[in-house]
Amino acid sequence: MTDDPPFNPALLPAGFVDRLPPEAEAEAAGVETLMRVFAAHGYERVTPPLLEFETTLLSGAGAAVAAQTFRLMDPDTRRMMALRPDMTPQIARIAATRLPDVPRPLRLSYAGPCILMASNRGEGDRQISQAGVELIGPDGPHADAEIVALAAECLATLQVRGVSFDLTMPALTTALLDAGGFESTVRGMLMRALDRKDAAAVARHGGALADVLIRLLHAAGPAQGALAELAAVELPPAVRVLSERLAATVAAIEARVPGIRLTVDPVEFRGWQYHTGVCVSVYAAGQREELGRGGRYLSNDDEPACGITLRPDIILRAAPPLPSRTRVFLPWGTPAEKAATLRAAGYATVSALGPDEDPLAQAALLACTLVVADGQLVPVDGA
Amino acid sequence: MTDDPPFNPALLPAGFVDRLPPEAEAEAAGVETLMRVFAAHGYERVTPPLLEFETTLLSGAGAAVAAQTFRLMDPDTRRMMALRPDMTPQIARIAATRLPDVPRPLRLSYAGPCILMASNRGEGDRQISQAGVELIGPDGPHADAEIVALAAECLATLQVRGVSFDLTMPALTTALLDAGGFESTVRGMLMRALDRKDAAAVARHGGALADVLIRLLHAAGPAQGALAELAAVELPPAVRVLSERLAATVAAIEARVPGIRLTVDPVEFRGWQYHTGVCVSVYAAGQREELGRGGRYLSNDDEPACGITLRPDIILRAAPPLPSRTRVFLPWGTPAEKAATLRAAGYATVSALGPDEDPLAQAALLACTLVVADGQLVPVDGA
């Protein structure tokens, strides 16, 4: 224990914030919009708890995020519990244990807060907001495409501009290095070189595969160009299967979402932990952080699954602000019926709490732009 | 540490549950409805974090729930943090530290999950859902009435039947016992007797106040009868002030919500921890648990405040089920425009993920009651 600094009631732990008006409302409205898009495509909502037994939460797909997870003891059972850092493993668990008999494809949606022990670089948010979908059962390019199409529709609905979807297939790099038969130290160096996009180091360690790896490194960019380069290089059969699946997924996405901006980085693999197929990161113009990420993985019991998790808190930084309700001040004695009519028309009504209030002064003070006078709406001038 | 039982991925800690379709959707829609009612009355949303420093979260109004609170250590600062068991103290903190310069009355709303270390009786939910409002600044019967009126409108909007609001004023009992000048052992016995509604014990320990206390004990019931009895008994001046405030609050509520079912229990005080004025519990016919509770308290810096916290998870048990979206199966090749039109009309569309699916069989399997055929909606018969 360190000495506590003097008590400051405004101080929150690093990475935790109060959302105030109007941001809190904007974020909630954003989540509602995302969930409505998901529901309109037949995705049904599930809500797992904020914490689970550590053994459950951090098994399977959850193991990848164990290091980022807060733990605490259940005083009843003395077993360790963990606060969820990510909802996808919970949805996979629900699909396998609660809904095993529901016919596949099983379409589930979810939204809620998650807690990270530390952000990636020791700064940034430790409470994050997630909203996403998982499509459990089918394994094919059209399933992958549906997930990307849903995310694209969500962002279009929220009027986010300059959205791009960056596709990768981490298994492709792994399979290529497997086929190269590298000794493990060399393989490690090669992985780090690819991760750093360091073409010189790739050339140094890449042996017979150096040429292919460098061409693929340079191929990252708009999907059609990257796929053309992938098609042109010589690949071992096991790797070719993966590159063909990637190409088929791109074709399925472009057919479902005409005009979508897709990029492909064939030898990107960083940050993908439990994924087995095509992966996607979502970006918006001028926004450094990902708006979402997802991909194909094996759910509990090795059932094929794919999904995408959007980050409403980050999306809202890239989306135009919501129109807010116009506030109308109701002087003491305003008939209840009149007030209800105004609310039904979309106004926010702010009631006087006593007869002694000066309506115009109160209206101005309480950020109302209109006031009811003689049954009419009158603008509040001055303030 | 006890030995872990064999790993069962379906097992959740006691008091934590997965909400599945359709309950998860119903609860989310319920919260949205409550928040829309609050927003329509000018209450603006704030979203505090799930955890804070223990010193902050459990000071002031938060001290009352310290025993129910999970703690965990912040690895960065090595200071203890706590998971919130209740949002009201957080809103009071925000009003005092983040929004001190926003003119009063300050109207704030909030919604989110809370975590309790243990439920009241060692059973029941440990993750609960809250949605509520706080009205900060004014101290008067019409402020108390606005809070009750909002809760009543929320429950009417969700079509909850048989709602009643039970009013109490814990300070009244305390002031009465203070005025009685009881020795502390006797006072303790009298409090327990009142808490148990044990008239014989109240008679035994009540001394000169026995008659008044027994009459007030028996007066609990519909508001007008209870208030008449309070008006009829002889009360010390300090207690009379409180009983008149209670009566004024009842009058203000009945004026704002004609036909509301109000009861008053003049000598109830149990379970009210940081409240200083009129308190309210909300019940629905046939529902053992409270749908919400609230009352008047002193916010940080001793600013007058009142609020009410509803429990969407419990309200949904008392509300009629939501109509769910009709699911339409879209065979492979259904034009995107047709699908968008159906979604805009409120249908959930479920897309085929390949050309080889038998539309009618798939539609039936995936709980769709309609299927698109030749551009028309056709019922799925059989299944």
Side-chain angles (χ1 to χ4, degrees), chain A residues 25 28 32 45 47, chain B residues 19 23-39 45 87 109-113 128-132 154 158 310-316 322:
Chain A
E25 183 58 38
E32 285 177 29
R45 188 171 188 135
T47 306
Chain B
R19 294 216 191 282
E23 284 77 21
E25 184 59 38
E27 186 177 327
V31 171
E32 285 177 28
T33 300
L34 302 180
M35 297 308 286
R36 255 198 304 277
V37 171
F38 300 154
R45 189 172 187 135
M87 294 180 79
S109 66
Y110 55 92
I128 63 169
S129 163
Q130 292 192 334
C154 283
L158 290 172
L310 298 174
R311 289 281 307 277
D313 42 0
I314 295 173
I315 290 173
L316 268 290
L322 284 179

Side-chain angles (χ1 to χ4, degrees), chain B residues 350-368:
Chain B
V350 177
S351 293
L353 293 172
D356 49 344
E357 293 177 7
D358 170 352
L360 281 173
Q362 276 289 305
L365 195 65
L366 299 179
C368 297

Side-chain angles (χ1 to χ4, degrees), chain B residues 154-202:
Chain B
C154 283
L155 297 171
T157 306
L158 290 172
Q159 300 181 49
V160 179
R161 308 275 176 214
V163 174
S164 73
F165 291 84
D166 295 3
L167 301 182
T168 61
M169 198 168 206
L172 195 150
T173 308
T174 314
L176 200 49
L177 298 185
D178 287 350
F182 294 100
E183 186 250 314
S184 80
T185 330
V186 176
R187 185 190 169 106
M189 288 191 288
L190 208 41
M191 296 276 281
R192 280 192 294 281
L194 286 170
D195 185 25
R196 291 197 313 269
K197 314 276 182 207
D198 179 347
V202 170

Side-chain angles (χ1 to χ4, degrees), chain A residues 1-2 4-5 7-13 16-21 24-25 28 32 36 39-42 44-53 55-56 59 70 72-81 83 93-94 97-99 103-105 107 113 115 117 126-127 135 138 142-143 146 153 256 325 327 332 343 347-351 353 362 365-366, chain B residues 1-2 4-5 7-13 16-21 24-25 28 32 36 39-42 44-53 55-56 59 70 72-81 83 93-94 97-99 103-105 107 113 115 117 126-127 135 138 142-143 146 153 256 325 327 332 343 347-351 353 362 365-366:
Chain A
M1 282 293 208
T2 56
D4 277 352
F7 174 64
N8 171 2
L11 191 70
L12 293 174
F16 294 93
V17 298
D18 294 317
R19 293 215 191 281
L20 302 180
E25 183 58 38
E32 285 177 29
R36 256 198 303 277
H41 287 269
E44 293 189 286
R45 188 171 188 135
V46 292
T47 306
L50 285 169
L51 48 82
E52 299 190 8
F53 286 126
T55 40
T56 317
S59 68
F70 269 113
L72 65 176
M73 194 169 70
D74 180 7
D76 283 354
T77 59
R78 300 199 158 200
R79 291 180 63 192
M80 292 308 288
M81 307 192 294
L83 284 165
R93 174 184 59 73
I94 288 174
T97 65
R98 309 267 179 221
L99 306 172
R104 272 47 174 167
R107 289 171 164 96
I115 303 284
M117 178 108 88
R126 290 202 285 179
Q127 175 171 331
L135 174 50
H142 297 293
E146 175 157 305
E153 184 174 332
R256 190 149 171 179
R325 286 175 192 253
R327 290 163 69 88
W332 186 249
R343 287 191 293 272
Y347 292 102
T349 62
V350 177
S351 294
L353 294 174
Q362 276 288 307
L365 195 67
L366 298 179
Chain B
M1 281 295 209
T2 54
D4 278 352
F7 174 65
N8 170 1
L11 190 69
L12 292 174
F16 294 92
V17 299
D18 293 318
R19 294 216 191 282
L20 303 179
E25 184 59 38
E32 285 177 28
R36 255 198 304 277
H41 287 267
E44 293 189 285
R45 189 172 187 135
V46 292
T47 306
L50 285 169
L51 48 83
E52 299 190 11
F53 286 126
T55 41
T56 317
S59 68
F70 270 112
L72 64 175
M73 196 168 66
D74 179 7
D76 283 353
T77 60
R78 299 198 162 200
R79 292 180 62 192
M80 291 308 288
M81 306 190 297
L83 283 165
R93 174 184 60 72
I94 288 175
T97 64
R98 309 264 181 225
L99 306 172
R104 273 47 177 168
R107 290 170 163 94
I115 303 284
M117 179 110 87
R126 291 201 286 177
Q127 176 171 331
L135 175 51
H142 296 294
E146 175 158 305
E153 184 175 332
R256 191 151 170 176
R325 286 174 191 254
R327 289 164 69 89
W332 186 249
R343 286 191 294 272
Y347 293 103
T349 62
V350 177
S351 293
L353 293 172
Q362 276 289 305
L365 195 65
L366 299 179

